[in-house]
Amino acid sequence: MATDSRIPGFYKRSLDERRDEIAKRRGVDSASLDAAFVRGLTHDLADKMIENVIGLYALPIGVGLNLRLNGKDHLVPMVVEEPSVVAAMSNAARMVREGGGFTGEADDPITTAQIQLWDVRDPAARERVLARSAELLEAANAAFPEIVRHGGGARELEAFDRGEGLFVVHLHVDCRDAMGANMVNTMAEALAPRIAEISGGRVGLRILTNLAERRCVHVRGTAPAASLATPDIAGPEVRDRIVEASIFAERDPYRATTHNKGIMNGIDPVVIATGNDWRAVEAGAHAYASRSGVYRPLATWRTNASGDLEGKMTLPMALGIVGGTIKVHPGARAALELLDVKTARELAMIAACAGLASNLAALRALATEGIQRGHMTLHARSVAAQAGAKGAEVEGVAQAIVAARDITLPAAQRELAKLRG
Ligand code: MEV
């Protein structure tokens, strides 16, 4: 069933109504969403996930809207503590949608393990190891035969002489729909003694690298200039200011860091919602951002030949849709079902699009009215709710206290009393 991810007024509905709407759009039973997101993880399951469990720590899950990738709509589950992230992502995704939606490609799902050796003094060691590639790749596959049955497996070896006896072998493995950490670590541990023999060295570490540069996603999105307009500033002017903001990040690592943080605002919530390892994605993203020796923005924005704003981004994105936490966590499984993805590569592209949209939203806000106004509106909604406002009252009270520039609980209580007559 095709899902339309455009749901006007979604934020005005109650939580129950939102879950019902999402269930309807995805053709799933509302009760299954309740099981995943209302009852959620049990203590028993949590106790199997990590050690020394004493309970659960909850974060909200929201649904990012309007995201279209390669012609297909996706509802995007996002787990995050920061207000305005979900709204901003959805807002910018709507602008890109007006330009036809995001497009993207993903590299093959290659995760790489490193096998470190010490005391390798023979300059011919590299050649010798590479000459035995076929036999070593076969041994790697024998250590994890399930992946070969799924169409993946060990693909290539590289070897690097890092000087003073330090020798490093990279084992590149196609992990298909798994993130692949366990798989490649198992393979690396299995191969290491044989590589030590061939190279004449002593085994050191055997572990994946999170700089997954062979597992990048490449996404692009165009926002028509008109879609960028604010009540006070015309679209083309906003577009030019966003390009200037991009150039700021391209030339200044201090700005690039915050620019990239805004990108991770969209990526991490999707990675967390789907039970993936967000620390791995963060580590890979920032290492990739500094691969030239200078820390740079992951996404950049320019005006295209039609006068519209075009953004593009490439970064490593090692995500899985099978195995690990996904198997255990009911929320992660339900989040993947909502996303309606068939492959880990598709999930990786969606996470990146959420990042690119978040970046666009942040730059547009920063280049126009600043981000505080939007934040204040959201803050006002939560103050209104604290004052006891229900349903449509929340929006009415929030708007009144924003207009009065008095976003406090007493002001919200006064406005609520007025509203109720
Ligand atoms: C805040 O979470 C993210 C921003 O700082 C990103 C940016 O500055 O581009 C607004």
Side-chain angles (χ1 to χ4, degrees):
M1 171 180 170
T3 305
D4 185 354
S5 67
R6 173 111 194 84
I7 317 179
F10 189 63
Y11 69 95
K12 292 185 192 152
R13 304 194 200 170
S14 72
L15 263 72
D16 287 341
E17 287 167 349
R18 288 184 201 141
R19 268 197 307 277
D20 286 347
E21 177 69 42
I22 293 294
K24 196 169 84 200
R25 291 200 179 221
R26 284 292 303 114
V28 298
D29 186 0
S30 226
S32 71
L33 293 193
D34 290 0
F37 301 129
V38 182
R39 292 193 295 286
L41 192 63
T42 61
H43 283 193
D44 264 4
L45 285 176
D47 200 27
K48 293 183 180 69
M49 283 176 71
I50 64 164
E51 309 70 42
N52 300 351
V53 169
I54 57 166
L56 301 174
Y57 176 100
L59 283 173
I61 179 162
V63 179
L65 302 178
N66 304 322
L67 195 142
R68 178 171 287 170
L69 165 68
N70 294 338
K72 179 177 165 189
D73 271 32
H74 296 275
L75 296 165
V76 184
M78 300 176 79
V79 170
V80 67
E81 88 299 342
E82 186 176 332
S84 81
V85 163
V86 178
M89 193 304 276
S90 305
N91 218 354
R94 188 174 43 73
M95 294 165 196
V96 172
R97 189 186 182 85
E98 286 178 33
F102 294 94
T103 56
E105 298 110 49
D107 298 345
D108 281 340
I110 301 284
T111 290
T112 301
Q114 296 193 290
I115 300 160
Q116 177 209 23
L117 296 121
W118 278 115
D119 305 330
V120 176
R121 305 283 169 199
D122 180 356
R126 187 175 165 277
E127 306 283 280
R128 267 211 313 280
V129 169
L130 294 182
R132 311 287 279 272
S133 284
E135 161 201 333
L136 290 165
L137 294 176
E138 204 175 304
N141 284 333
F144 213 100
E146 298 95 281
I147 189 59
V148 181
R149 281 199 293 278
H150 285 100
R155 295 281 185 256
E156 191 187 330
L157 285 181
E158 284 183 296
F160 305 93
D161 184 345
R162 302 287 193 210
E164 297 176 13
L166 173 58
F167 184 74
V168 183
V169 173
H170 284 186
L171 169 65
H172 301 291
V173 183
D174 183 329
C175 299
R176 294 286 91 196
D177 287 322
M179 187 273 191
N182 280 335
M183 192 185 309
V184 303
N185 291 340
T186 303
M187 289 180 174
E189 289 186 7
L191 282 198
R194 184 76 192 109
I195 294 178
E197 240 173 68
I198 301 168
S199 63
R202 154 172 82 78
V203 173
L205 310 186
R206 297 137 297 159
I207 185 74
L208 91 171
T209 170
N210 289 121
L211 180 47
E213 63 183 10
R214 291 199 180 198
R215 199 170 179 170
C216 282
V217 284
H218 317 267
V219 292
R220 283 171 301 281
T222 299
S227 72
L228 299 165
T230 70
D232 306 322
I233 310 171
E237 167 72 17
V238 177
R239 176 204 62 204
D240 292 348
R241 293 190 193 183
I242 293 174
V243 171
E244 285 174 355
S246 177
I247 293 169
F248 179 12
E250 289 159 43
R251 299 202 194 149
D252 180 323
Y254 292 88
R255 176 55 210 157
T257 305
T258 324
H259 179 102
N260 287 346
K261 190 277 181 184
I263 293 169
M264 301 319 287
N265 269 356
I267 294 177
D268 285 343
V270 181
V271 177
I272 297 170
T274 55
N276 276 282
D277 181 345
W278 75 94
R279 288 87 55 212
V281 172
E282 284 277 349
H286 299 297
Y288 191 79
S290 26
R291 70 197 181 287
S292 65
V294 178
Y295 189 88
R296 293 201 188 283
L298 291 161
T300 53
W301 296 89
R302 286 294 182 273
T303 303
N304 70 11
S306 322
D308 296 325
L309 181 71
E310 203 172 296
K312 56 178 193 217
M313 176 165 77
T314 288
L315 82 166
M317 191 68 72
L319 301 184
I321 59 167
V322 294
T325 307
I326 300 155
K327 241 188 336 213
V328 188
H329 197 293
R333 278 203 310 274
L336 280 166
E337 206 168 304
L338 285 191
L339 267 167
D340 189 19
V341 289
K342 304 276 177 285
T343 63
R345 294 163 76 222
E346 207 181 347
L347 171 62
M349 285 188 280
I350 291 169
C353 290
L356 191 57
S358 298
N359 182 228
L360 172 58
L363 298 189
R364 177 171 174 270
L366 290 167
T368 55
E369 61 183 14
I371 56 161
Q372 283 313 96
R373 211 179 116 81
H375 279 179
M376 282 304 147
T377 308
L378 284 167
H379 177 55
R381 282 195 198 127
S382 93
V383 173
Q386 273 175 45
K390 300 268 180 288
E393 288 173 345
V394 172
E395 202 51 31
V397 170
Q399 277 175 16
I401 60 179
V402 168
R405 294 178 189 273
D406 187 7
I407 307 174
T408 58
L409 192 56
Q413 285 160 338
R414 274 196 308 274
E415 288 301 333
L416 183 61
K418 254 200 255 169
L419 206 75
R420 288 179 176 173

